[in-house]
Amino acid sequence: VAAVTGTLSGAPGRFARGLRELAPGTWAWLQPDGGLGEANAGLVCGDGASLLVDTLWDRRLARDMLDAMEPHTRGAPIRTVVNTHSDGDHWWGNAEAPADAEIVTSEASARAMRRDVSPRELALLQRLLAVAARLPGTAGAGPRRSRDAFAPFDFGGVRQRRPDRTFSGTTTLDAGGREVRLVEVGPAHSAGDAVVHVPDARVVFAADVLWVGVAPIMWAGPVDNWLRAIDTLLELDAEIYVPGHGDVGTRADVERVGAYWRWLTVRAREQHAAGRGRMDAARAILADDGYARWADWAEAERIVANVDALYRGFGGRDPVGARGPARLAIMRDIAALGAERASPRASA
Ligand SMILES: [Zn+2]
């Protein structure tokens, strides 16, 4: 297998792609730059058995990862797979895992997986974006951005293999004699987020409640749950935090995400009180001097989704979060704002 070092679209990555050893028998699988579908995974190898955390978005990505892990799993086959949550980029590769491995996720994530968008629907979306991308000028700018972001992924051959076992709250798994703890912290990013703690390695696979170098996105909420999840992450006995997207981080990265949510909640409340829609609110908040603290994060435009989720919380609406057409509409707005920020003059 030829080593792919950069992002999936071929650009040079901001961090190295592939396996990174975090502690003895404990690896992260990293996909720069942590953008759409560029999800991370993890491997915990024990005595004669291993545990895999998440399986990426399509067959090829899952196969490449499992091939790279093979030297480690040859003597310790993957017996358990954890799906941290219901977004496809964390579980649609399940069918590539060993057939006899048991797949575990939270009950809330299992429910969300059943009602979420299917691979066929995403493949259809890719074709629609290719058409919309031909619209001239700014009308096509958002679709072109989305088309390019989805381009590295092939949903055609994805067979959805659903988890075998669910849990609620916390549960403890065994990886060849090593303890692995699952802690449900959702709904926050998604309906049923769970984080994976490996106490003997002082490592946490924090899934999509942690993002490093890239803006977080809140599909579910409420934000108070996300802030509680941040506290939970900091209370675990750990020093290495693998985000769902982005480079491997530390406690400081966890705290930074918490600070983002606290600041954004205040700003979004002001925008909500002023009666501004989510797009105008997002523009105003990104232009605020206070945002400079997170200006190094990629994909700042995701703030549209976060404003929308916060607005829903202020209005006491829909605790389950945005899905289906509402989610697609938010993705369209994110792409439009991203295109606008990429060429501010063209859209002025
Ligand atoms: Zn993700």
Side-chain angles (χ1 to χ4, degrees):
V1 181
V4 181
T5 54
T7 71
L8 294 173
S9 59
R14 289 184 290 131
F15 52 94
R17 174 178 151 88
L19 270 185
R20 188 183 306 174
E21 188 167 17
L22 308 171
T26 313
W27 288 269
W29 175 263
L30 301 171
Q31 293 198 98
D33 280 331
L36 178 89
E38 293 170 332
N40 298 330
L43 179 68
V44 182
C45 292
D47 195 5
S50 295
L51 178 147
L52 178 67
V53 181
D54 285 344
T55 60
L56 313 184
W57 215 0
D58 69 18
R59 297 183 63 187
R60 179 181 63 88
L61 293 175
R63 275 268 50 99
D64 284 356
M65 174 176 74
L66 291 166
D67 286 349
M69 290 175 172
E70 203 275 336
H72 309 297
T73 56
R74 193 180 300 146
I78 294 168
R79 296 276 183 230
T80 310
V81 176
V82 174
N83 292 148
T84 58
H85 63 290
S86 54
D87 286 350
D89 54 331
H90 298 262
W91 73 278
W92 284 7
N94 280 1
E96 305 306 311
D100 59 354
E102 183 180 49
I103 305 179
V104 182
T105 197
S106 72
E107 177 58 32
S109 287
R111 264 199 310 273
M113 287 172 180
R114 287 194 286 273
R115 63 178 183 235
D116 200 11
V117 61
S118 71
R120 275 178 57 177
E121 287 166 328
L122 267 201
L124 173 63
L125 177 66
Q126 282 179 309
R127 293 196 289 278
L128 294 174
L129 286 170
V131 174
R134 293 203 288 267
L135 292 168
T138 53
R144 281 192 288 280
R145 227 178 139 80
S146 290
R147 175 200 61 192
D148 294 347
F150 275 104
F153 308 102
D154 177 8
F155 305 115
V158 171
R159 177 175 69 82
Q160 287 189 321
R161 178 179 166 195
R162 293 175 193 283
D164 305 297
R165 178 150 73 93
T166 62
F167 75 101
S168 294
T170 62
T171 194
T172 301
L173 303 173
D174 174 83
R178 298 178 65 190
E179 181 187 328
V180 176
R181 293 186 61 231
L182 308 191
V183 183
E184 185 180 18
V185 296
H189 161 77
S190 72
D193 310 292
V195 302
V196 182
H197 183 208
V198 190
D200 69 14
R202 305 192 75 216
V203 166
V204 179
F205 296 96
D208 284 11
V209 292
L210 178 63
W211 303 67
V212 173
V214 57
I217 192 162
M218 182 160 64
W219 292 116
V223 71
D224 288 349
N225 270 2
W226 198 315
L227 290 169
R228 264 193 291 276
I230 294 291
D231 290 341
T232 299
L233 287 174
L234 294 171
E235 283 160 15
L236 296 173
D237 181 27
E239 56 187 347
I240 299 171
Y241 291 85
V242 181
H245 298 255
D247 200 357
V248 175
T250 64
R251 300 176 68 83
D253 295 293
V254 178
E255 285 162 355
R256 231 173 142 213
V257 171
Y260 170 88
W261 286 120
R262 282 190 294 273
W263 181 84
L264 182 58
T265 301
V266 175
R267 295 286 88 82
R269 209 181 281 281
E270 292 165 359
Q271 298 294 321
H272 189 253
R276 289 206 186 93
R278 66 185 181 213
M279 279 295 263
D280 282 340
R283 289 185 188 101
I285 293 169
L286 289 177
D288 188 298
D289 287 344
Y291 188 75
R293 292 159 72 187
W294 301 279
D296 59 308
W297 282 353
E299 312 210 18
E301 60 271 17
R302 289 177 173 174
I303 209 160
V304 178
N306 299 338
V307 167
D308 187 78
L310 288 165
Y311 276 19
R312 269 186 280 120
F314 301 153
R317 285 178 292 133
D318 188 14
V320 184
R323 57 178 192 263
R327 186 157 167 167
L328 289 178
I330 291 170
M331 290 175 75
R332 184 199 60 212
D333 281 359
I334 291 172
L337 184 59
E340 188 180 303
R341 287 168 60 79
S343 64
R345 216 167 289 167
S347 60

